[in-house]
Amino acid sequence: MRNMARVRSLRRGADVREEPPEHSMDPRATEEPPYRPTVIDNAIYRDGERVDNPGSLADAFERLKEMPGSMAWIGLYRPKEWELVKLGEEFELHELALEDAIVGSQRPKSDRYGDTLFVVLRAARYLDDVEEVAFGELHVFVGPDFVITVRHAEAPDLQGVRRRMESDPELLRQGPQAVLYAILDTVVDGYAPVVAGLQKDIEEIEVQVFSGDPSVSRRVYELSGEVIEFQRATAPLVGMIHGFIAGAPKYGLNDELQSYLRDVADHAITVSERVSSFRQMLQNILVVNSTLVTQAQNAEMARMTEASIRQGEEVKKISAWAAILFAPTLVGTIYGMNFDFMPETHWALGYPFAIVLMAAVCLVLYMVFKRRDWL
């Protein structure tokens, strides 16, 4: 509600130079992107051909009114808040859709406000150098005679979409709905390299797991987060596209566009299924890794236990021999005390008796320890 009040205040002529904080969809983005002009491209099309290049957004709106049956296609990159508000005034965009475009960080969805369709898409690209997935947010306003794209990241390449459409006047002649199809097709096709990159990462992780790499748990955790984020970006697309197809008669989508949209939906289903399988595979890898770690810990504990048992056996042997050797020492110590009144010291058989006594005690102790397996 605070953001809606902010939009209304800007429409009433508040400080239009105030800039909102940008909301990057890439959770690892920490640096500001290089500066680019806000308006990437601004064109008027008629009968599938580019007929004008207005110098400003206001000029585009004026040209659109002057040329009935034409279509405006405006591409914006990280626009300022006041620019979106001004655009909303010119093209009568709904406040709720405008608020979502200003704030950003929206989930993929499609909302219709009167004759204007507002679509949020999450593009993705795989960064080979860091082996990570970067996500971007794209907002598309589709009206009866205009298409406005608000891009918040590098992907997708909408200039490529524009070139493709301009090279196919028959498709472009079908109007804003055809442009929306081309954007959807580009976003979904952009998922293929991401799927391939994630598949490669998972295969590398499997090798690390079975090789006992201790750092694999962290990589599995990080990759699981990327897969979950990717699933959030792709899962809503299937229902969204099927909704467009279901509303085709009402909003004038011909059979050709419906066929194209069904093809995009098939690709989206394939991607969604692959991403779901990736998530299950990573869960299985975590279980296998946990099992392998537990087995390794158990094996280490068994080795430690065996070492402790062997050490105990050695201690028993040492203790047994110490006790055996202590017995004659005790006898010798007693008879070594030089007291005058010790009868055995003046006894002729005292020495042989002490020797025999020491030998007997040692023998008895040896037999006792031997019977108890201490020796």
Side-chain angles (χ1 to χ4, degrees), residues 105-311:
S105 299
Q106 303 296 316
R107 63 177 181 82
K109 63 177 182 177
S110 62
D111 295 324
R112 188 170 288 277
Y113 301 96
D115 293 334
T116 301
L117 176 66
F118 176 63
V119 179
V120 179
L121 300 173
R122 296 287 306 282
R125 58 192 180 117
Y126 186 79
L127 307 178
D128 289 308
D129 52 343
V130 292
E131 295 186 338
E132 292 179 353
V133 181
F135 297 93
E137 188 173 2
L138 173 65
H139 300 158
V140 185
F141 295 90
V142 182
D145 56 358
F146 66 86
V147 176
I148 301 171
T149 59
V150 181
R151 188 157 51 96
H152 291 278
E154 295 298 319
D157 179 18
L158 295 185
Q159 287 296 95
V161 177
R162 191 182 293 265
R163 289 191 297 269
R164 169 191 170 187
M165 294 297 290
E166 290 179 348
S167 65
D168 189 356
E170 289 297 325
L171 182 59
L172 185 57
R173 189 175 289 120
Q174 298 181 38
Q177 300 292 342
V179 176
L180 176 60
Y181 147 72
I183 293 173
L184 286 169
D185 188 45
T186 298
V187 170
V188 174
D189 285 347
Y191 292 151
V194 179
V195 171
L198 291 176
Q199 178 69 49
K200 179 182 177 182
D201 288 344
I202 291 175
E203 291 173 356
E204 292 176 354
I205 285 175
E206 289 175 341
V207 174
Q208 286 182 280
V209 166
F210 290 104
S211 64
D213 189 343
S215 64
V216 69
S217 296
R218 180 183 180 86
R219 190 176 182 190
V220 172
Y221 175 79
E222 293 174 348
L223 190 59
S224 296
E226 293 179 358
V227 170
I228 291 172
E229 190 72 15
F230 194 27
Q231 191 172 35
R232 290 173 180 168
T234 58
L237 285 180
V238 178
M240 185 190 305
I241 299 172
H242 284 160
F244 296 156
I245 297 173
K250 183 177 180 180
Y251 298 104
L253 272 72
N254 59 29
D255 293 340
E256 183 181 12
L257 269 183
Q258 292 182 52
S259 299
Y260 289 158
L261 285 174
R262 279 192 288 270
D263 181 66
V264 176
D266 290 341
H267 292 172
I269 290 173
T270 301
V271 172
S272 182
E273 290 175 348
R274 291 291 302 276
V275 175
S276 297
S277 68
F278 288 163
R279 189 170 181 180
Q280 185 61 47
M281 289 172 66
L282 287 172
Q283 291 176 349
N284 294 339
I285 288 174
L286 280 176
V287 173
V288 171
N289 185 58
S290 177
T291 302
L292 293 176
V293 169
T294 302
Q295 290 177 348
Q297 291 176 342
N298 291 340
E300 184 63 25
M301 290 181 64
R303 287 193 293 271
M304 293 177 63
T305 302
E306 291 174 359
S308 178
I309 292 174
R310 288 194 300 269
Q311 184 178 12

Side-chain angles (χ1 to χ4, degrees), residues 354-366:
I355 295 298
V356 171
L357 179 60
M358 288 187 285
V361 171
C362 290
L363 181 61
V364 170
L365 288 175
Y366 179 82

